[in-house]
Amino acid sequence: MLPTPSQTVGPFYGYALPFPGGPDIAPTAHPDTLTVHGHVYDGEGQPVPDALLEIWQPAPDGSLTGAPGSIRRDPVTGGYAGRDGVTFTGFGRITTDADGHWVVRTLPPGGVPYLSVCVFARGLLHHLFTRIYLPGEATDSDPLLNSLDPERRATLLAAESGPGVHRFDIRLQGPKETVFLEFR
C-alpha cells in the first residue's frame, strides 16, 4: 500500500481575497489621512511574504457603520461599490509583499485609540487578533495596555515615523511576539 500524499494547507490568500483598493480605508487625498505600515515576521525573524491583514476601525466620529458592501462588486461598473475614493470604509484587507511589508491608508479612529487587526498567515491554523495603538492621550489610559507589563505593551504601540506616518511590525512568535487577543 502506498502512503497517502500530504495536502497543502495554504496559504491561498492571494486568490480572491485581495481586492483593488483594499489598503485604502480613507477617502482619496483626505487631509487627515494616516499611513500605517510595517512588516510581518515569523518566529525566526524572517519576513512573511504571503500574509493577509484585515483592519477594522470606527470612523473619526466614532460610528461603526463604515461603507456597507465596500468589497462587493458593482455589477454595472465592475468596480467595488464602497471603494469609490470618496467614502470612508472602516475596513481594509492588505497582503504583504515579497519582503513581508504592508501599508494601509486610513483616518484616525474615533472613540478608541487603536485599529483592530486580524492576521492570516502560513503556519497558522486559526487567524490571530491584535490591535495597533496610535500615539496619543487615549492610548496612555487604555485599560488593556495598562494591564500589560511594559515590554509586552510595546508590541502593541505604533511608532510615529513622520507626520501622519506610523510603523507597526507584527511578530508571530519569538521573544518580541506581538500581543494577540482571544475573544470568547
Side-chain angles (χ1 to χ4, degrees):
M1 181 175 269
L2 296 173
T4 305
S6 63
Q7 296 295 313
T8 303
V9 175
F12 303 116
Y13 307 124
Y15 175 75
L17 289 178
F19 54 91
D24 300 319
I25 299 173
T28 304
H30 192 286
D32 298 329
T33 297
L34 299 175
T35 298
V36 183
H37 72 100
H39 289 82
V40 177
Y41 295 107
D42 66 16
E44 295 178 358
Q46 297 300 309
V48 179
D50 49 10
L52 182 116
L53 306 178
E54 289 186 348
I55 308 286
W56 301 83
Q57 72 167 94
D61 66 4
S63 66
L64 297 173
T65 55
S70 67
I71 60 172
R72 194 171 305 132
R73 291 287 251 177
D74 182 324
V76 176
T77 67
Y80 290 84
R83 302 274 168 183
D84 56 12
V86 177
T87 309
F88 174 80
T89 64
F91 171 75
R93 185 176 288 151
I94 306 104
T95 55
T96 56
D97 66 15
D99 295 321
H101 186 255
W102 60 274
V103 62
V104 64
R105 284 164 295 286
T106 190
L107 296 176
V112 296
Y114 58 83
L115 309 176
S116 297
V117 182
C118 185
V119 180
F120 301 86
R122 60 183 151 94
L124 298 178
L125 297 179
H126 300 284
H127 48 276
L128 302 172
F129 297 99
T130 192
R131 292 177 177 173
I132 301 171
Y133 281 87
L134 301 170
E137 246 179 71
T139 295
D140 297 337
S141 61
D142 184 82
L144 172 70
L145 283 180
N146 288 328
S147 71
L148 300 171
D149 68 70
E151 188 174 312
R152 299 295 292 143
R153 173 186 166 106
T155 71
L156 295 177
L157 300 173
E160 192 166 6
S161 57
V165 179
H166 296 83
R167 169 101 187 231
F168 184 80
D169 292 331
I170 298 171
R171 297 182 185 281
L172 300 176
Q173 292 180 320
K176 295 182 182 178
E177 178 181 318
T178 301
V179 170
F180 295 106
L181 309 173
E182 183 176 316
F183 294 100
R184 297 176 192 200

